[in-house]
Amino acid sequence: MLVNFNEILKDAKKNSYAVPHFNINNLEWARNILEQMQELNLPVILGVSEGAASYMGGFYTIRVMVEGLIKDLNITIPVCLHLDHGGSFESCKKAIDAGFTSVMIDASKYELEKNKEITKQVVDYAHPKGVSVEAEVGHVGGTEDNVYGDVFRATLEDCFEITKTGIDALAPALGSVHGLYKGEPNLDFDRMKQINESLSIPLVLHGGTGIPYDMIKKAISCGISKININTELQVTWHKAVCDFIKENPTVYDPRKVIGSGKAPMKAKVLELINVFNEKHLKPNSTDNNII
Ligand code: 13P
């Protein structure tokens, strides 16, 4: 079932665990993640960047593909189909019109007033359609869709101001970066905790790849309810496929080559869920019906 993220993140915030947001790049990514999360009987957010959307053909293709997988694979967990880092109102509108159940409007490159204005426009369009909205203040650094940016940490005042737009979740930039870290991540846990205690909406941690697991657990204890992972699954898949090609240089069937990344990807998803949500990790248990 495609849902917005409101109920799943509300439960995560209340019970101090994090729901995974995994970026998808193709059918195999979506399938592997859905299968693993179904085995765990836990909800999942499938994130789609604008670059990934254009790679796969467009928002409509992706929505139909994900709904098809849900039906054909008998996926019964809540699945949220979420535009990641929508760069404009128009991009969010396109995703919503194609049936996405959630969007992130990332107007963090603008100063606060303009960020608020664009975010409010998205909220006003999304909410009557039952679509949830995430926004960003400060700026998550690193490389996303081949674009590099520096980190600007969010202030409590900016976080408070952006919530006036009616958003459902907030990604305050607090030192994490997209892609691989150079050295140890430097997250501002004190401010994370302070923002969480001051706001009623769930908080999102971008740039989940490469953050040591004890820091991820600390971030969850400071109020993070949604963690975004993209690069980690790409690196896992890439290594598996390189090994496969090295060992089987004459195999050219794409199902075998691409598919050689399936088991390692599923194992990585499981490993991450162990960190994000160990309490609920009871495979095939009906107790996992947390919403
Ligand atoms: P990583 O690529 O660092 O995992 O970041 C993903 C992300 O934050 C997507 O919004």
Side-chain angles (χ1 to χ4, degrees):
M1 183 185 32
L2 279 187
V3 298
N4 66 34
F5 64 46
N6 283 330
E7 289 308 312
I8 55 184
L9 291 191
K10 227 179 262 170
D11 190 81
K13 184 172 166 75
K14 191 166 134 219
N15 294 300
S16 298
Y17 64 93
V19 175
H21 154 137
F22 291 114
N23 284 77
I24 58 170
N25 294 287
N26 54 21
L27 179 133
E28 288 81 1
W29 246 249
R31 178 175 184 167
N32 297 342
I33 294 162
L34 287 175
E35 282 183 0
Q36 183 59 68
M37 294 308 292
Q38 177 67 34
E39 279 168 38
L40 298 171
N41 199 18
L42 290 170
V44 67
I45 297 167
L46 298 180
V48 180
S49 69
E50 290 177 348
S54 117
Y55 173 79
M56 286 185 266
F59 295 125
Y60 183 78
T61 303
I62 295 164
R63 198 263 296 164
V64 172
M65 174 184 81
V66 170
E67 280 190 336
L69 287 170
I70 289 174
K71 203 165 162 52
D72 282 339
L73 302 175
N74 296 318
I75 301 293
T76 55
I77 51 168
V79 178
C80 175
L81 184 58
H82 177 77
L83 170 64
D84 190 26
H85 293 282
S88 62
F89 169 76
E90 290 71 25
S91 177
C92 292
K93 180 176 181 300
K94 259 194 201 162
I96 294 167
D97 292 348
F100 274 50
T101 49
S102 188
V103 293
M104 174 192 191
I105 172 67
D106 180 0
S108 65
K109 62 177 178 282
Y110 300 111
E111 36 82 29
L112 183 66
E113 279 316 305
K114 181 129 191 238
N115 186 347
K116 274 174 72 180
E117 190 186 308
I118 299 170
T119 300
K120 174 88 172 66
Q121 197 186 1
V122 172
V123 169
D124 288 347
Y125 189 75
H127 278 180
K129 297 176 172 58
V131 171
S132 47
V133 180
E134 173 186 335
E136 176 172 322
V137 285
H139 193 68
V140 175
T143 306
E144 180 83 350
D145 270 351
N146 295 321
V147 179
Y148 179 80
D150 286 326
V151 178
F152 296 104
R153 286 173 194 236
T155 64
L156 179 59
E157 293 71 29
D158 286 1
C159 292
F160 187 68
E161 277 301 312
I162 199 88
T163 60
K164 292 182 181 166
T165 60
I167 50 169
D168 305 287
L170 176 64
L174 292 168
S176 60
V177 302
H178 293 122
L180 299 171
Y181 286 84
K182 296 186 184 94
E184 269 273 287
N186 182 9
L187 303 185
D188 191 336
F189 291 111
D190 290 339
R191 199 177 296 175
M192 198 181 277
K193 192 161 186 285
Q194 191 189 25
I195 293 168
N196 181 52
E197 284 166 359
S198 311
L199 306 183
S200 56
I201 57 172
L203 300 186
V204 181
L205 178 64
H206 280 249
T209 298
I211 300 181
Y213 290 165
D214 58 333
M215 284 176 116
I216 289 201
K217 286 184 181 172
K218 187 162 180 192
I220 294 169
S221 76
C222 291
I224 292 294
S225 305
K226 168 178 181 275
I227 301 180
N228 290 18
I229 300 281
N230 184 15
T231 310
E232 185 98 56
L233 293 188
Q234 297 188 2
V235 169
T236 300
W237 177 84
H238 177 249
K239 182 179 180 321
V241 171
C242 285
D243 290 349
F244 178 85
I245 292 172
K246 218 192 267 165
E247 284 157 26
N248 305 276
T250 57
V251 176
Y252 52 79
D253 179 344
R255 289 174 292 187
K256 294 196 172 115
V257 177
I258 298 171
S260 65
K262 183 182 181 95
M265 265 182 79
K266 287 180 71 174
K268 181 56 79 175
V269 168
L270 178 59
E271 181 184 313
L272 289 164
I273 299 307
N274 247 316
V275 181
F276 293 4
N277 191 0
E278 48 192 337
K279 289 192 268 221
H280 283 100
L281 204 59
K282 293 180 202 150
N284 302 322
S285 162
T286 48
D287 298 350
N288 283 343
N289 293 324
I290 55 173
I291 63 164

